[in-house]
Amino acid sequence: MRRLLIFAAFSPLLLIAGCESVQSTWQSSGPAAERITHLSIFMTVLFVVITLIMWLLVAWAFYRRRGTLEEHAPIDAGGGQIWIAIGGVAVPLLVLSLLFVLGLQLLTDFPIHGMHHGGSAVMAASMKPEIRITGHQWWWEVEYLNDDLPKQFTTANEIHLPVGRPVNIELVTRDVMHSFWIPALHGKVDLIPGMKNYIRIEAAQPGSYSGQCAEFCGAQHAMMRLLAVAQEPDEYEAWLEAQRKPGNDPATSEAQAGKQIFLAGPCSMCHTVRGTTAGGTVAPDLTHIAGRQMIAANCFPNNDAYLEAWITHAQSLKPEAQMPNLTQFTGEQLQDLVQYLRQLQ
């Protein structure tokens, strides 16, 4: 019994020690995430302290000397009310009130606003969005906004940010409710049908930060992932300029053949490649797909093998996704098609 009590007392610490993952709330890389991490650490330490105290009290009650039935007071003798008042009312009320106040203070410091049905002036001019992210089942559409319309462009599943500067993002959904969450940069913000929400995120250092839809949105909710790439300002500007260009023209005969297969087949009905006749809008924009680190909403590496598997057997990799299995291509056609996609930098 004594070993069980010791394990129970220290089990929270063991869980904390094992909480290292790519999407970890303990590894903040932005000012907002850092403040959330501080509050999380405080809450965890508070929880551990209270848990230890409770287990010590349980151990004291278990091991203390016990008398006989004759020595016990009558069942209606009363007593112990002070323990109930302190441990059952005063302490929980104090702890929950403290966390409530700290949570409210944290929320008020974050410039996040919502506009129902787009018919309100809730968002201040300082919150003018640079990026609009639209949630789909199960991928992210990313639009880089600009007052100069020719400089606007659309990509998917991977957002790029300049280091050291806050970026305002507008969040909407095309279908069901989703939730935008990049733990290393900020907390969660919901994407609600008929409503616009906003978040301001800032990366403190260059790197790639994994995110996730944090609201159950259907069969492939767990595979609706997001990647934020933070770059130095000059690298970010160069990336923006490159993304505004149309898709590369094929440089090899294989890639040229792949382009014709892409344009003549079902691919162009769903996807867009700027600079070609492919103008589908129901699936991710593929104009610069070769420059992305991952495919299928950041579920698989962006390489030849996974591209081939995704094209031919998407339903095996991500069941119920809108991407159908395309098994009509010959081996040579599939290789040409992949070569075309791989040169769309």
Side-chain angles (χ1 to χ4, degrees):
M1 185 65 183
R2 183 173 299 176
R3 290 182 179 178
L4 179 60
L5 290 173
I6 293 174
F7 175 78
F10 286 95
S11 58
L13 296 177
L14 297 176
L15 289 174
I16 293 171
C19 279
E20 288 195 17
S21 66
V22 176
Q23 297 182 108
S24 174
T25 56
W26 301 98
Q27 300 175 359
S28 57
S29 297
E34 185 176 4
R35 296 201 56 190
I36 294 173
T37 298
H38 290 165
L39 180 58
S40 299
I41 292 174
F42 173 76
M43 292 173 61
T44 303
V45 171
L46 185 62
F47 164 77
V48 171
V49 170
I50 293 174
T51 300
L52 289 174
I53 292 173
M54 293 303 299
W55 278 110
L56 288 174
L57 291 174
V58 170
W60 172 74
F62 182 80
Y63 283 108
R64 70 175 181 163
R65 180 180 294 276
R66 302 185 178 191
T68 66
L69 291 176
E70 288 75 14
E71 296 172 344
H72 282 199
I75 193 171
D76 59 348
Q81 288 87 347
I82 187 64
W83 287 98
I84 297 175
I86 295 175
V89 178
V91 173
L93 183 62
L94 177 63
V95 171
L96 294 177
S97 298
L98 175 62
L99 295 179
F100 179 72
V101 171
L102 292 176
L104 285 181
Q105 180 62 45
L106 189 62
L107 285 175
T108 58
D109 291 340
F110 292 154
I112 301 176
H113 309 269
M115 292 197 301
H116 291 276
H117 305 291
S120 171
V122 174
M123 186 180 69
S126 61
M127 281 297 294
K128 183 177 180 180
E130 297 179 45
I131 302 174
R132 178 186 296 119
I133 295 181
T134 304
H136 300 260
Q137 289 178 306
W138 293 274
W139 60 282
W140 307 89
E141 181 180 2
V142 185
E143 300 173 78
Y144 285 78
L145 309 177
N146 197 300
D147 291 334
D148 187 359
L149 292 182
K151 292 185 177 182
Q152 292 192 172
F153 64 89
T154 301
T155 180
N157 300 316
E158 184 177 300
I159 63 174
H160 286 239
L161 309 165
V163 169
R165 179 172 70 80
V167 175
N168 299 323
I169 300 177
E170 177 184 296
L171 301 168
V172 296
T173 175
R174 188 66 59 85
D175 37 57
V176 301
M177 186 172 176
H178 301 281
S179 187
F180 176 91
W181 187 35
I182 303 176
L185 300 180
H186 213 302
K188 305 173 185 177
V189 177
D190 288 339
L191 287 67
I192 303 172
M195 177 178 178
K196 296 179 181 178
N197 272 346
Y198 298 87
I199 185 172
R200 174 178 291 169
I201 62 177
E202 178 180 345
Q205 55 191 9
S208 297
Y209 306 102
S210 295
Q212 176 74 50
C213 176
E215 182 76 29
F216 181 73
C217 56
Q220 291 302 323
H221 158 69
M223 298 185 76
M224 185 175 173
R225 299 170 187 168
L226 183 66
L227 187 66
V229 180
Q231 301 171 293
E232 295 293 351
D234 55 342
E235 295 179 359
Y236 173 69
E237 291 299 328
W239 179 85
L240 286 178
E241 190 61 32
Q243 291 293 306
R244 294 183 180 117
K245 297 177 181 178
N248 293 338
D249 289 328
T252 65
S253 58
E254 292 83 2
Q256 182 62 48
K259 178 180 180 180
Q260 298 306 315
I261 294 169
F262 183 92
L263 297 177
C267 304
S268 62
M269 298 174 62
C270 297
H271 295 279
T272 290
V273 174
R274 283 178 277 120
T276 72
T277 56
T281 58
V282 299
D285 187 301
L286 302 182
T287 303
H288 297 287
I289 184 176
R292 300 173 197 163
Q293 298 183 27
M294 310 283 282
I295 62 170
N298 296 292
C299 293
F300 308 104
N302 188 0
N303 57 36
D304 290 5
Y306 273 107
L307 270 174
E308 290 183 7
W310 179 249
I311 292 169
T312 57
H313 292 89
Q315 291 301 307
S316 296
L317 297 174
K318 199 169 181 178
E320 298 189 32
Q322 291 190 24
M323 176 73 177
N325 292 335
L326 302 177
T327 58
Q328 67 268 37
F329 301 121
T330 66
E332 183 178 355
Q333 288 176 327
L334 181 60
Q335 291 177 7
D336 291 344
L337 180 55
V338 168
Q339 288 303 308
Y340 171 62
L341 296 175
R342 295 290 287 160
Q343 57 89 50
L344 289 175
Q345 294 286 343

